[in-house]
């Protein structure tokens, strides 16, 4: 019982999700053959910077987002960037990239100065996303829902964000019922991943701190979105 306007919303979100992806020439750099921790960190920094740009373009296509208070738009992007990038990189792992990106991305993440204690929760998350076998529509909606989380730091008009998120959640709930009729708890499992994502934020903050203590440099865009340097 997905309504006509919900179908329209779904199409807009899916088109935006597919239209905005890391350019292939950037992604292909993962396949080059230098594998030092420094080289891996630089490549991952380039991936993250490109992914943030993609994320901003995707977010601008979420119906209603550009009508939110401008400072709240920034607060939502800053607050959700890491989670959206975990979701996106998780799709790379679960979609078994033909060009072998999966293996090289994992190898570079594992050897980029991230301490062991963060590897386990990070790769457990990647595994738990892979096990869901999400379709594109679910991935796109889940990313939009993550961005439209009302209780990010410094969001002033949380109700305005809540209204947008709720309409996305309603479409996702109906889509899950259609896509996974034999699995009534599938929608709840998807939302459970959003909770797991928020725990990864804390690990990520510590990852940033330890990189900075080892004098690793980030790009201006990442410094701005992560309030570092
Ligand atoms: C600054 C840097 C060292 C960093 O700090 N924390 C994290 C970080 C890490 Cl290490 C894990 C999870 C989240 C973050 Cl922010 C990172 C690296 O972030 C990445 C962001 C995004 C990709 C990413 C996305 C899409 C795709 C696609 C595709 O779509 O076709 C093909 S290849 C690829 C690669 C990889 C890495």
């Amino acid at each position: 019982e997905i309504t006509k306007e919900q179908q329209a919303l779904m199409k807009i979100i899916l088109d935006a999700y597919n239209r905005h992806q890391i350019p292939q020439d950037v992604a292909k750099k993962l396949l080059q053959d230098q594998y030092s921790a420094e080289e891996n960190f630089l490549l991952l920094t380039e991936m993250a910077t490109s992914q943030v740009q993609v994320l901003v373009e995707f977010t601008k296509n979420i119906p209603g987002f550009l009508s939110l208070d401008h400072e709240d738009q920034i607060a939502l992007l800053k607050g959700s960037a890491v989670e959206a990038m975990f979701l996106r990189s998780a799709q790379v792992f679960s979609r078994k990239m033909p060009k072998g990106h999966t293996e090289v991305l994992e190898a570079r993440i594992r050897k980029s100065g991230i301490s062991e204690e963060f590897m386990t929760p990070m790769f457990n998350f990647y595994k738990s996303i892979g096990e869901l076998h999400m379709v594109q529509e679910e991935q796109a909606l889940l990313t939009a829902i993550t961005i439209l989380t009302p209780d990010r730091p410094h969001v002033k008009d949380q109700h305005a964000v809540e209204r947008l998120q709720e309409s996305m959640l309603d479409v996702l709930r109906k889509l899950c019922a259609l896509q996974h009729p034999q699995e009534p708890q599938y929608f709840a499992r998807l939302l459970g991943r959003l909770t797991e994502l928020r725990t990864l934020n804390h690990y990520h903050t510590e990852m940033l701190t330890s990189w900075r203590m080892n004098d690793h440099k980030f790009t201006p865009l990442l410094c701005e979105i992560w309030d570092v340097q």
Side-chain angles (χ1 to χ4, degrees):
E1 75 288 8
I2 291 188
T3 66
K4 277 271 167 280
E5 61 265 7
Q6 284 180 322
Q7 273 176 344
L9 177 63
M10 179 69 253
K11 189 170 170 355
I12 292 168
I13 298 291
L14 182 64
D15 288 348
Y17 189 74
N18 288 327
R19 209 158 2 101
H20 301 300
Q21 301 222 7
I22 279 189
Q24 271 318 311
D25 59 308
V26 175
K28 260 211 274 297
K29 289 188 175 179
L30 277 174
L31 305 172
Q32 70 189 18
D33 53 3
Q34 286 96 333
Y35 269 88
S36 71
E38 268 56 41
E39 187 56 39
N40 291 341
F41 178 81
L42 282 175
L43 263 177
L44 291 174
T45 299
E46 190 171 348
M47 296 288 140
T49 304
S50 176
Q51 187 60 41
V52 167
Q53 289 160 340
V54 163
L55 190 65
V56 170
E57 290 315 306
F58 169 71
T59 305
K60 283 158 67 176
N61 287 275
I62 298 176
F65 182 82
L66 292 177
S67 318
L68 293 171
D69 172 282
H70 283 204
E71 286 171 350
D72 284 355
Q73 292 178 26
I74 302 297
L76 291 176
L77 274 167
K78 286 166 71 112
S80 65
V82 170
E83 292 177 23
M85 289 205 274
F86 264 107
L87 274 179
R88 189 73 204 198
S89 49
Q91 312 313 346
V92 175
F93 286 117
S94 53
R95 98 173 153 239
K96 291 274 164 270
M97 296 288 288
K99 301 166 272 303
H101 285 169
T102 311
E103 293 71 24
V104 291
L105 181 56
E106 172 158 359
R108 293 193 190 279
I109 290 178
R110 287 194 184 279
K111 187 184 171 191
S112 60
I114 299 171
S115 83
E116 263 320 298
E117 70 184 287
F118 307 141
M119 289 300 169
T120 312
M122 188 190 287
F123 283 95
N124 283 348
F125 176 75
Y126 285 141
K127 190 163 159 291
S128 70
I129 287 286
E131 286 161 356
L132 286 169
H133 303 297
M134 276 193 269
V135 296
Q136 285 265 22
E137 291 83 349
E138 291 163 346
Q139 293 173 16
L141 277 171
L142 206 61
T143 303
I145 287 162
T146 300
I147 293 161
L148 294 171
T149 300
D151 61 338
R152 297 293 186 198
H154 316 305
V155 172
K156 297 172 294 187
D157 189 352
Q158 293 201 8
H159 293 300
V161 181
E162 223 157 16
R163 278 192 294 276
L164 294 181
Q165 191 190 46
E166 266 155 22
S167 63
M168 301 280 164
L169 282 163
D170 194 43
V171 180
L172 182 61
R173 182 175 51 74
K174 292 179 179 178
L175 188 76
C176 289
L178 282 173
Q179 296 278 350
H180 310 267
Q182 80 292 350
E183 211 188 332
Q185 79 286 0
Y186 183 83
F187 176 58
R189 281 177 65 197
L190 278 194
L191 299 191
R193 300 283 73 79
L194 295 188
T195 310
E196 191 177 351
L197 261 181
R198 299 188 91 149
T199 64
L200 293 172
N201 262 323
H202 303 301
Y203 287 117
H204 191 266
T205 305
E206 291 178 36
M207 278 159 60
L208 286 184
T209 307
S210 64
W211 271 321
R212 288 177 59 219
M213 264 149 41
N214 298 307
D215 208 23
H216 282 83
K217 293 276 175 279
F218 300 102
T219 57
L221 180 57
L222 294 178
C223 291
E224 196 180 325
I225 206 146
W226 288 338
D227 289 328
V228 291
Q229 261 132 334

